Amino acid sequence: MSLRLRRWTFAALLAAAVVPGVAAQTQTAPPDPEAGAVSKKSAADSERDRRFKWFRDARFGMFIHWGLYAVPAGTWKGKKIDGIGEWIMNRAKIPISEYELLAKDFNPVKFDADAWVKVAKDAGMKYLVITSKHHDGFAMFDSATSRYDIAEATPWKRDPLKELAAACQKAGIKFAFYYSQDQDWHESEASGNEWDFPSDREWKKSLGRGYFEGKVKGQLRELLTGYGPIGLIWFDTPKLITKEQSQDLVDFVHKLQPDCLVSGRVGHGVGDYDSAGDNQISVGNTDRDWETPVTLNDTWGFKSYDDNWKTTHVLLRQLVEVASRNGNYLLNVGPTSEGIIPQPSIDRLREVGEWMKVNGDAVYGSQGTPFAHDQSWGTVTSKPGKLYLHVFDWPKNGSLVVYGLKNKITRASLLAGNKPVKVAQTRVAALDHDAVRLSVPAKPPSPHASVVVLEIEGAPKVDASLIQQPTGVVELKAHQAKIETTAAKPTVRFDNRGVAERWTTEADSLKWEFKLVEPGTFDVVLVTSEQKIRHPPTADPWEGGHKVLVETNGQKVNGTVEAQSKRIPPHNPYWPLPITKIGQVKLDKAGKQTLTLKAEQIAGKRFGLTLVSVELVPAKK
Ligand code: H79
């Protein structure tokens, strides 16, 4: 409820000044928040709540990528193959006839379903999603539909999915399958394999009927009838699949197991929930249930030489940030062909689990933050009557400050040990500004996120404006802006990381309204992002040189977007953020302010101005 309230108020903020030809992000008229607070849920909503209960309670799951690709483990014929390990067949253009032979070397004698499930459980994960068939087309279960499967083609001959289903059942972990419905490099009627089937490309407009009705549905039927209740089917990479075929699969899954959820990557927006991009932490994406899949290192399937492990700190930050936006965090392990989860994965998962044992209350079954803006010290999750402050940057001066909360706080405590914390609430009526000051111990209870619990009266009531942070920094995220344009339609839009993409015309501009608490002189800092696209590999994933104009409080500042320095976002190590300080402005009055960012000249048009945020940082005196 709190969340809806925030969405509406925020949507209202964004939609407020919509004029013809100007697109705001939220098209639908916001319902009256007062009415919303007491409105009855529709039957469909309640049914959705029932089906999604386990998913929302869980918040954290284990992804397992396990298949024949674990045998070459990133090396083919003595050469290290770039990219994600499970893509080796594609990257090295291995003919089917050669790739098939890997099955003879797949003999995971050390596989122990209970041991794997214990790793997940000890990490605090509540569901497990394993590759039943990845893009290589090899079934990791005893499939009657295809002979290209683990029970028939390997010396091992077992069905690990049967064993995992039983182990999960015992441990109280939801069991689920990844199934690559579209790419199947073993089949000519599927998509992806252009090295064995080069001539098929032209006529392919959809997945072939034989493949779709035969292998896909045949195997899904086996998976949904032979392994007990399945939490969800994780489809992936819709490419050739038509809307009819996507819908057909959704219906097919629901017919066999009505409560089984279908991932958004079934295609064409017909899945049950949204999936963020691989390794992407979505922002502002709280309207639908969603999930993000993340790698522990840089591969999904095992690669013997990938040692770029994320730290426990980054993993926890990602988990909590996803939860703070109402999403689920699906964290991957890539076991070896012997059946072993790599030790560095186990070590990190154990540390995550230790944190979850103490702080799980702030994650399981939690909802997102009610605040419109991020917090300088960390992030927020909520439950009825409670706000959980996940503090990553523990205050050195013993005072933790939260702006914009209007509820009365009845108690504040550290989640670790339930130790009470002294709290003071102040309000400046003229500014309509509320502040909470918490006196916290000098030493944080956790080296990662220390959680402070606020018990509040009633549903969260927060200031919907973008408020200057207690640090003095004003952070204006691109996706929180109103888009204005002098063209018929804006081209700029935001990817699910919240980064502006296709800001490639000078017609578009962004405008924010924010609330200033402490006037002063501020550096105007532009934060941009490198782009996901790395192909061709020589292409620079970032473009600078754009000329921009910032207008605020009657002042204009011109500048050029450069990479004066780079910031690595704590929750997303993959896309560094080039930073430009373009000048200074003086804001001499507290209260409502606006800021407009115009692109006077876009230099590169491949990515354009990939804005993450504009920051106003108090200038050093
Ligand atoms: O299962 C995992 C990935 O294998 C799958 N989704 C996650 C959950 C996935 N399929 N496709 N993609 C991800 C996009 C892949 C892009 C790349 Fe590549 C593969 C980049 C490098 C290797 C293809 C080949 C594009 C460039 C080279």
Side-chain angles (χ1 to χ4, degrees), residues 65 84 86-87 91 134-135 178 236-237 278 300 535:
H65 275 69
I84 40 188
E86 70 286 0
W87 270 70
R91 299 285 284 158
H134 202 264
H135 306 336
Y178 173 105
D236 201 3
T237 63
D278 293 355
W300 305 88
H535 299 280

Side-chain angles (χ1 to χ4, degrees), residues 324-393:
S324 82
R325 291 165 189 147
N326 267 297
N328 281 18
Y329 186 61
L330 188 61
L331 185 56
N332 181 72
V333 297
T336 67
S337 62
E338 275 195 305
I340 297 289
I341 298 176
Q343 193 59 38
S345 301
I346 293 181
D347 294 343
R348 282 157 184 78
L349 293 179
R350 191 191 306 112
E351 286 175 10
V352 169
E354 281 160 14
W355 185 89
M356 287 293 271
K357 265 191 214 103
V358 176
N359 300 291
D361 269 357
V363 175
Y364 301 125
S366 70
Q367 287 181 298
T369 174
F371 294 96
H373 52 81
D374 288 345
Q375 309 290 333
S376 53
W377 38 257
T379 188
V380 180
T381 56
S382 65
K383 278 186 188 174
K386 281 185 184 166
L387 295 180
Y388 299 95
L389 317 180
H390 300 253
V391 186
F392 284 87
D393 299 313

